[in-house]
């Protein structure tokens, strides 16, 4: 091999390796920063950081209890609203892939997955917040449900379609109705894929900020007050605190970020483990 | 079908609900935008005067700076995403040993799902000062005669900071599509290239040419993600009405404009409608991007089979 070709080869491989590292380097630095800045806050704040309400400006750490509770309430509520619709839509597209609704639904879900989430927030504000006269847990959860739906529906559809035809035929030959085939046989076989989609959807909405800005409204100092009252959420709290000029608020924001990252990884890691085993 | 499929009929309401929600989104955006269209016409999109006033007759809203900022920052983002995502795909498929490959894929998977507010806080407290110190200040001191670098870096909040942060965030989305396409290049093609005596560099160049449509689709998708991103970018862009060619100038994006102004928009007569119109333009860009990706990927799949 002539020297010039060899030199080019070496430079090329070096560039590819460097660029690849640059792709994931920010993630490593983000995880590092969040731990370095957030961990001391969690240690210093202790348990009360998880249970107390927000401190006044420039006066200690207080806690982010209402936001933590809010995040879990919102995940639960949005799952309650979004999952049934998403699962059924996914089943429909998988069972009737050639029907007009089935095909259109697939395209629509793809579009919804890419739809800017802030616009969903705007939509829900006009639809629920203004008629109800107040920000509310209900509005926040509905916005999150709309965002969660496409993730769950698409993965349900894909999981169902991966099941070999022979299983479906065997189930039908037992004389089961289509509903029985789907709910008693296929869904159970597609359990992992479906569950993965549900977890991805939950991880996604746990970290969403933009759709909550004009729907959930935030609540830093008061715990859950009811479905029709404003509610806090960790991402929303971080967004608000970062924009404040107070040092202690920035610290609280880092602590909250670490917590949010742990919640996210807590959902993400099991999902990854599930996914690797998805094989027939 | 002669026999009525009860199961199908039972499922239809759920699918219909999804269609209904999406239709309702579009209706609400159109209905709320009409007011500003009647008042200003297309000037809402083509002018850059933003005048909020208690007196409705003085109010005027032009969101051109936000549209400009969205396109500018998302453009920077895909310029960053292109080399990174292609190199990443080549490295993961061709070079990385199995264990490293696994970790690289897990890392980018985490990046696609990581709450965007975490990118935001990192962007505001680390990236902005970093970019200011190591990119903006040296470039401004030495090359300020070039329009791109002509704006004095004050806080570091700028199109550049926004573009870089978006680039980091959307590279994994582009990489997922490009990696998959690069991985599924038929083995015979690879063998054929190497049989000609090509070095890895030469072979990669040929193979990259083969997946060009998928690279394009990945970048368009990344563009769509970048333009819809809200909170992370609003923490680093400066939130200022500004149409400047300089990378170092602060600006606005459509989504950060909405995030910033919508909260107090109800005090004014026309601002809510103006922001809905801004959102409408964003959703159109989003829809166009989607259809484009959909068609490109489908054509690419057809060409391969």
């Amino acid at each position: 091999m002539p020297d010039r070709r060899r030199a080019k080869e070496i430079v090329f491989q070096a560039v590819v390796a460097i660029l690849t590292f640059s792709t994931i380097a920010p993630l490593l630095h983000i995880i590092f920063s969040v731990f370095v800045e957030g961990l001391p806050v969690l240690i210093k704040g202790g348990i009360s950081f998880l249970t107390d309400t927000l401190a006044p400006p420039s006066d200690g750490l207080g806690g982010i209890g209402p936001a933590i509770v809010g995040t879990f309430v919102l995940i639960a509520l949005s799952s309650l609203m979004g999952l049934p619709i998403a699962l059924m839509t996914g089943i429909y597209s998988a069972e009737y892939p050639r029907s007009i609704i089935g095909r259109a639904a697939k395209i629509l879900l793809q579009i919804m997955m890419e739809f800017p989430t802030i616009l969903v927030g705007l939509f829900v504000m006009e639809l629920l917040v203004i008629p109800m006269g107040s920000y509310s847990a209900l509005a926040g959860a509905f916005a999150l449900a709309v965002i969660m739906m496409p993730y769950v529906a698409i993965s349900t559809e894909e999981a169902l379609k991966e099941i070999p035809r022979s299983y479906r035929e065997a189930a039908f030959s037992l004389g089961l109705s289509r509903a029985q085939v789907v709910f008693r046989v296929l869904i159970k076989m597609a359990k992992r894929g479906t569950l993965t989609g549900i977890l991805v959807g939950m991880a996604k909405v746990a970290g969403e900020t933009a759709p909550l800005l004009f729907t959930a409204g935030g609540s830093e100092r008061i715990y859950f007050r009811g479905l029709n009252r404003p509610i806090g959420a960790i991402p929303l709290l971080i967004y608000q605190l970062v924009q404040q000029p107070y040092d202690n608020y920035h610290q609280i924001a880092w602590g909250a970020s670490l917590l949010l990252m742990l919640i996210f990884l807590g959902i993400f890691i099991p999902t990854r483990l599930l996914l690797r085993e998805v094989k027939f | 079908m002669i026999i009525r499929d009860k199961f199908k009929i039972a499922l239809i309401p759920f699918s219909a609900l999804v269609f209904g929600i999406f239709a309702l989104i579009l209706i609400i955006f159109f209905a709320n935008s009409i007011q500003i269209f009647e008042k200003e016409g297309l000037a809402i999109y083509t002018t850059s005067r933003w005048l909020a006033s208690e007196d409705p007759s003085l109010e005027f809203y032009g969101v051109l700076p936000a549209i400009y900022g969205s396109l500018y920052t998302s453009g920077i983002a895909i310029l960053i995403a292109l080399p990174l995502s292609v190199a990443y795909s080549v490295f993961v498929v061709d070079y990385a040993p199995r264990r490293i490959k696994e970790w690289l894929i897990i890392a980018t998977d985490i990046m696609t799902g990581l709450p965007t507010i975490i990118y935001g806080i990192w962007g505001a407290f680390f990236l902005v000062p970093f970019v200011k110190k190591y990119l903006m200040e040296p470039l401004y001191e030495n090359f300020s005669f070039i329009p791109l670098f002509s704006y004095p870096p004050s806080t570091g909040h700028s199109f550049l900071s926004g573009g870089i942060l978006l680039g980091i965030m959307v590279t994994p989305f582009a990489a997922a599509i490009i990696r998959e396409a690069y991985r599924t290049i038929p083995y015979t093609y690879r063998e054929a290239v190497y049989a000609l005596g090509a070095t890895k560099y030469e072979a990669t160049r040929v193979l990259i040419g083969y997946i060009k449509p998928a690279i394009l689709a990945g970048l368009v998708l990344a563009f769509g993600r970048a333009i819809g991103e809200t909170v992370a970018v609003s923490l680093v862009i400066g939130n200022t009405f500004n149409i400047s060619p300089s990378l170092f100038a602060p600006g606005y994006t459509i989504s950060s404009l909405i995030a910033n102004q919508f909260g107090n928009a109800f005090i004014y007569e026309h601002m809510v409608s103006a922001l809905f119109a801004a959102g409408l333009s964003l959703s159109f860009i989003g829809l166009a991007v989607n259809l484009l990706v959909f068609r490109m990927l489908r054509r690419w799949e057809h060409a391969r089979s």
Side-chain angles (χ1 to χ4, degrees), chain B residues 2 6 74-75 78 81 102 105 116 134 137 150 159 199 236 261 263 266 278 291 304:
Chain B
I2 303 166
K6 275 190 201 149
S74 303
I78 60 167
E102 282 268 300
I105 294 176
T116 54
Y134 294 104
E137 280 170 355
S150 61
F159 291 123
T199 61
V236 300
Q261 301 285 342
F266 288 87
L291 292 177
R304 264 193 322 184

Side-chain angles (χ1 to χ4, degrees), chain B residues 174-189:
Chain B
I177 288 186
I178 298 170
R179 191 189 80 212
E180 192 52 24
Y182 191 70
R183 190 179 64 83
T184 51
I185 293 176
Y187 211 71
T188 48
Y189 284 48

Side-chain angles (χ1 to χ4, degrees), chain A residues 3-273:
Chain A
D3 283 348
R4 259 192 59 203
R5 281 180 78 200
R6 178 161 299 170
K8 255 190 191 169
E9 178 78 1
I10 291 167
V11 171
F12 169 71
Q13 294 191 7
V15 168
V16 166
I18 291 169
L19 288 178
T20 303
F21 180 70
S22 314
T23 304
I24 61 154
L27 175 67
L28 302 179
H29 195 271
I30 287 171
I31 294 176
F32 171 80
S33 312
V34 170
F35 267 98
V36 166
E37 304 278 347
L39 202 55
V41 178
L42 289 195
I43 291 169
K44 205 173 131 205
I47 293 291
S48 61
F49 189 74
L50 305 179
T51 55
D52 274 6
T53 56
L54 190 70
S58 310
D59 184 21
L61 288 176
I64 58 168
I68 298 174
V69 172
T71 284
F72 284 106
V73 168
L74 285 171
I75 295 178
L77 266 183
S78 59
S79 304
L80 217 59
M81 295 180 196
L83 290 185
I85 300 173
L87 288 173
M88 297 303 167
T89 308
I91 291 174
Y92 189 96
S93 299
E95 281 295 299
Y96 307 99
R98 288 184 204 292
S99 69
I100 297 171
I101 298 180
R103 272 191 302 188
K106 270 196 82 173
I107 299 175
L108 180 71
L109 291 170
Q110 215 77 46
I111 290 174
M112 282 175 78
M113 205 147 125
E114 306 297 327
F115 201 70
T117 54
I118 178 104
L119 299 185
V120 176
L122 230 58
F123 157 70
V124 175
M125 168 148 202
E126 197 65 33
L127 188 72
L128 293 178
V129 175
I130 292 179
M132 287 170 68
S134 154
Y135 295 125
S136 65
L138 213 59
F142 180 64
L144 293 181
V146 172
I147 290 160
M148 178 193 273
M149 276 181 219
Y151 291 90
V152 180
I154 288 176
S155 62
T156 304
E157 192 249 5
E158 281 172 358
L160 282 173
K161 275 188 141 174
E162 264 181 27
I163 300 172
R165 271 199 83 78
S166 51
Y167 288 91
R168 179 185 298 266
E169 281 161 5
F172 273 116
S173 72
L174 291 174
L176 300 178
S177 72
R178 200 187 263 274
Q180 286 170 320
V181 171
V182 170
F183 288 115
R184 297 240 176 112
V185 182
L186 299 182
I187 271 290
K188 289 187 177 153
M189 295 187 65
K191 202 166 50 188
R192 285 209 175 110
T194 309
L195 198 59
T196 308
I198 292 173
L199 289 174
V200 168
M202 285 183 176
K204 184 83 202 153
V205 300
E208 280 291 343
T209 316
L212 296 180
L213 281 174
F214 311 118
T215 56
S219 174
E220 301 85 33
R221 296 202 167 81
I222 305 171
Y223 273 95
F224 183 68
R225 280 169 286 180
L227 294 181
N228 59 349
R229 303 291 302 145
I231 193 169
I234 304 174
L236 198 57
L237 180 69
I238 299 171
Y239 181 67
Q240 285 156 353
L241 293 181
V242 169
Q243 297 182 48
Q244 301 283 334
Y246 313 109
D247 213 36
N248 67 327
Y249 278 8
H250 294 173
Q251 283 175 12
I252 299 169
W254 279 113
S257 298
L258 178 56
L259 216 58
L260 183 64
M261 199 165 80
L262 293 178
I263 293 174
F264 168 72
L265 291 177
I267 305 178
F268 177 85
I269 291 171
T271 313
R272 254 323 274 228
L273 294 176

Side-chain angles (χ1 to χ4, degrees), chain A residues 5 9 29 96 239 272, chain B residues 5 109 122 200-202 234:
Chain A
R5 281 180 78 200
E9 178 78 1
H29 195 271
Y96 307 99
Y239 181 67
R272 254 323 274 228
Chain B
D5 190 340
D109 279 356
W122 178 80
K200 277 190 171 160
Y201 164 65
E202 290 155 354
S234 87

